[in-house]
Structures are given as structure tokens and as C-alpha cells.
Amino acid sequence: MRILVVCTGNICRSPMGEIVLRERFAQAGIDVDVDSVGVSDEESGRPVDSRAAKVLREAGYDVPRRAARQVTPADLADSDLVLAMTVGHARQLKKVAESNGIDPSVIHLWSEFDDNVPLEIAPHGAFGPGGILEGKERSSAGYSAFYSSDGEWDVPDPWYGGEDGFYDTLSAVESGAAGIIAWVRDTVR
């Protein structure tokens, strides 16, 4: 199974998700390929944000050297599960998928897997039948799909605040990771 985690620039939320998932899958003894990307290319080539790396290391995670990169159609086509950190990211991913003839049913919100969030995991993705975004391909407020969304289901963006925001983001990431591990375990059986 291949999992792709997606945020805006691929330097904060999605690498945090990738790193946490890799560690948790290894601990669970489940062989899964996890990668992360951004919907934007503005941070391409940059390492994990230093604040995110600090918070991850403090929590006991190994932070590998990596370079941010933008999502490609091949990333989507090759993934079994695509986890968007925000509603806006999910909308952008759906555009990329559909414009390249890729089934968008693999796109889910990270928060669908968080037991602290009252969402169900939709079997046909966030935009499919019963999905939280079914029929909501566009933002009602006209927000950019890259930087913000009207989604109350978003993993918090720590970029603009202080270091505390990175702890909040890690908490949301870890909470969702537990549900992702359980879902993969049930799916692979």
C-alpha cells in the first residue's frame, strides 16, 4: 500500500504526517510506503520547517533530510490513499486527479481518521457518496485552495503562529495517525 500525505508547501503538516505515519506503521509491523508532497511548488527543495523538526524530535521522532516537492499526477495515480490536511488541499487534489483522468476516490481528509473529529471514513473518498465533501467541490467563500479553506475539518496550519502551533499540529497528526493505522490494518486483511 502507498499513502500520500498532502499540505500546502510540504514543509510542515505533510512531512509531520509522513514522519509520524512511518514510525507508527513500523511499530505496528505493517509494511506501507508513505510519502508527502504539497499542492504548491513555492517551498520546493526546502527541508522540513525547523520548528516542525524541533517538535517532532522532542516527541521522539527521527526527522530525515528531505526536500519539499509539489504533487504530480503520477503521485496520485500511484497512491492507494491520499490524505489531504485541509478541505482546500483536497479540492486542489481533486482538480489534479480529474484533469489527468485519475479516480479521486482515494482522496480523504486526514481528519476523517481522527477519533476526536465527528466524521465518518467515506469508502469512496471525501468527494464520493457519503463523503464529507460530496457535492462541495467549490468553496462557498471563494478561498484559495492552497492557503486556506472554509473547512472546519482542517488540520491546523502552524506556519503563521508561534511554536505552540506546531505542538497543536503534531497532536492532530498523531490523533489521526491512530485511525489511519487501524483503517489500513482492516483494509489489508
Side-chain angles (χ1 to χ4, degrees):
M1 176 171 274
R2 183 166 192 273
I3 297 175
L4 187 66
V5 186
V6 186
C7 71
T8 304
N10 191 219
I11 60 169
C12 296
R13 287 173 286 187
S14 61
M16 291 175 87
E18 173 189 351
I19 289 164
V20 169
L21 282 180
R22 279 192 180 155
E23 173 94 8
R24 298 287 176 88
F25 277 120
Q27 290 171 348
I30 301 171
D31 185 25
V32 175
D33 180 31
V34 183
D35 196 4
S36 67
V37 294
V39 294
S40 168
D41 68 352
E42 69 195 75
E43 301 290 349
S44 287
R46 295 182 189 258
V48 175
D49 182 279
S50 61
R51 298 165 294 175
K54 178 181 182 282
V55 167
L56 285 163
R57 285 187 185 107
E58 285 177 5
Y61 296 99
D62 181 40
V63 181
R65 294 173 67 89
R66 61 177 311 285
R69 66 184 188 83
Q70 185 176 23
V71 67
T72 66
D75 289 320
L76 296 179
D78 295 340
S79 295
D80 301 297
L81 177 61
V82 177
L83 298 164
M85 290 294 184
T86 72
V87 170
H89 299 146
R91 287 185 177 123
Q92 184 62 25
L93 290 166
K94 185 173 189 281
K95 288 179 189 175
V96 172
E98 289 181 337
S99 67
N100 288 280
I102 300 164
D103 182 3
S105 68
V106 296
I107 301 169
H108 288 267
L109 296 176
W110 184 278
S111 58
E112 286 179 61
F113 299 87
D114 186 338
D115 285 342
N116 298 315
V117 178
L119 290 177
E120 296 293 322
I121 302 168
H124 302 289
F127 296 98
I132 189 66
L133 300 176
E134 179 184 12
K136 298 177 186 172
E137 282 76 14
R138 294 178 181 226
S139 168
S140 58
Y143 292 118
S144 162
F146 284 173
Y147 301 108
S148 59
S149 73
D150 58 350
E152 61 188 290
W153 315 115
D154 297 353
V155 170
D157 185 356
W159 176 256
Y160 296 104
E163 193 172 281
D164 287 349
F166 287 85
Y167 292 103
D168 295 340
T169 299
L170 180 59
S171 178
V173 164
E174 289 179 325
S175 187
I180 294 163
I181 302 297
W183 183 84
V184 167
R185 186 178 284 131
D186 290 344
T187 301
V188 173
R189 286 185 187 166

